Amino acid sequence: GVMEKLGLGPEVLLRENPRLIYARLTGFGQSGKYAKSAGHDINYLSLSGVLSKLGRKDENPYAPLNLLADFAGGGVLCAMGIVTALYERTKSGKGQIIDASMVEGVAYLSSFLWKSQNLGLWNRPRGENLLDSGAPFYETYKTSDGKYMAVGAIEPQFYKQFVEGLGLDSDKLPNQLSFSDWPEMKKKFASIFAQKTQAEWCSIFDDIDACVTPVLSFDDVASHQHNKQRRSFIKNDQEEISPRPAPILSRTPAVPSFRRDPYIGEHTEEILLECGFTKEEIAKLYFDKVIEISKPKANL
């Protein structure tokens, strides 16, 4: 209801321009019991049902930062809604209102979990299934230098390579899908990983198709050979590292800026002048606390 209070609700603006696409991104959506309630990623995740699936055995469910509901279920699916509406407008010539709920967005993003319930992937308690840290071949293991390796050797051919990389004989181990043996196998694999450094394990698994990779820190990610070859990470003029825009388009790839991120309000005056506001009008907006203007301090 914030935009309605400002007199800028979708009905008002769509009367002015019927082709307008008006996206409303909220946690709980534009209707329903919680529509006007406050919340955060963890609340939207919990109401979607997805949070109940996240976590290790005998531990509380945990939210993976605010990536799932805020950024993926909210931001990405809202953007997809805008693109979908833009495409539809090429046929109808009309705009429309997008009601993007983070609860529904993350639930829809997790459709795989719903559709695979009867496949045997999620029929055990949290933390005891194939992809939720239950399986010894889909897990992270600590190395002797306090770093970690990630293992995703699900398919039999990759699992065989993984086991051989550890120096074990798969014929002398329990069946890969023997659930009752999983806890003991995790202990066995953990003890072996703890005997070498991350670099030593990389030297073994980099040349083996076993779905085993290093868990890279933010400090290490840009210097990894694969990421360097693809130029997956960039540095700005302040030597700050960030991901390069993705995905890569063949004809019109994004051209990233190598300048530092702007300060809040740094370009407010510049942009308003471009939009036709006078310096006097801008000064009044600033005085009335409608806008924020912040000039970066010189580094002397």
Side-chain angles (χ1 to χ4, degrees):
V2 174
M3 297 303 286
E4 282 81 0
K5 291 175 184 176
L6 296 173
L8 298 172
E11 291 78 12
V12 173
L13 297 187
L14 281 166
R15 280 199 300 270
E16 293 287 330
N17 180 7
R19 290 174 55 83
L20 186 69
I21 293 162
Y22 195 114
R24 313 199 79 166
L25 173 57
T26 58
F28 297 112
Q30 294 296 315
S31 60
K33 180 177 180 177
Y34 290 169
K36 296 185 183 299
S37 299
H40 283 291
D41 188 283
I42 195 169
N43 306 117
Y44 315 138
L45 205 56
S46 70
L47 207 64
S48 73
V50 177
L51 185 57
S52 70
K53 297 291 185 183
L54 305 179
R56 292 183 175 274
K57 181 181 178 181
D58 298 327
E59 293 185 10
N60 296 352
Y62 68 85
L65 307 179
N66 62 329
L67 298 176
L68 273 183
D70 277 358
F71 299 155
V76 173
L77 287 200
C78 182
M80 182 183 290
I82 293 171
V83 172
T84 304
L86 283 167
Y87 178 71
E88 192 280 335
R89 191 174 69 181
T90 64
K91 299 182 176 182
S92 67
K94 299 177 181 179
Q96 54 187 311
I97 303 166
I98 297 167
D99 180 0
S101 154
M102 294 185 195
V103 173
E104 293 162 1
V106 72
Y108 183 57
L109 185 73
S110 307
S111 294
F112 164 73
L113 300 182
W114 301 91
K115 301 293 185 181
S116 61
Q117 285 184 99
N118 297 324
L119 298 181
L121 296 177
W122 308 105
N123 58 340
R124 298 169 66 84
R126 181 177 62 250
E128 297 183 25
N129 299 281
L130 185 67
L131 303 178
D132 64 358
S133 81
F137 49 85
Y138 202 87
E139 178 61 287
T140 55
Y141 291 99
K142 195 171 186 177
T143 56
S144 63
D145 54 346
K147 298 182 179 181
Y148 295 88
M149 296 296 289
V151 178
I154 298 175
E155 292 81 1
Q157 67 271 28
F158 302 137
Y159 181 72
K160 187 174 187 296
Q161 296 268 49
F162 163 58
V163 168
E164 290 176 358
L166 292 180
L168 299 172
D169 184 349
S170 56
D171 292 333
K172 296 180 180 179
L173 296 177
N175 183 279
Q176 180 185 358
L177 297 179
S178 175
F179 297 116
S180 61
D181 290 303
W182 279 4
E184 193 57 38
M185 292 307 299
K186 288 180 76 169
K187 291 179 183 177
K188 189 177 189 69
F189 294 162
S191 67
I192 295 174
F193 270 109
Q195 296 171 17
K196 290 182 172 65
T197 65
Q198 186 188 71
E200 288 173 325
W201 284 118
C202 285
S203 68
I204 292 173
F205 284 108
D206 273 0
D207 298 321
I208 300 176
D209 227 1
C211 302
V212 180
T213 50
V215 178
L216 299 175
S217 69
F218 272 26
D219 293 331
D220 298 332
V221 69
S223 60
H224 187 272
Q225 186 179 10
H226 176 81
N227 293 334
K228 282 174 64 176
Q229 290 171 345
R230 286 186 56 82
R231 298 190 298 277
S232 301
F233 294 84
I234 58 177
K235 283 186 179 181
N236 66 12
D237 54 13
Q238 305 288 309
E239 293 296 301
E240 297 170 329
I241 296 174
S242 62
R244 185 184 61 177
I248 302 170
L249 278 63
S250 62
R251 288 191 300 102
T252 57
V255 180
S257 170
F258 294 100
R259 297 181 62 187
R260 61 161 176 78
D261 292 342
Y263 299 109
I264 294 175
E266 180 178 347
H267 301 115
T268 302
E269 184 176 8
E270 178 184 338
I271 291 169
L272 291 177
L273 286 170
E274 287 180 5
C275 291
F277 286 80
T278 65
K279 284 188 175 272
E280 291 74 18
E281 289 172 326
I282 296 172
K284 186 175 187 310
L285 288 171
Y286 177 70
F287 180 79
D288 293 339
K289 298 184 178 179
V290 175
I291 60 173
E292 185 171 342
I293 296 177
S294 175
K295 296 295 182 184
K297 296 177 181 178
N299 294 321
L300 298 177

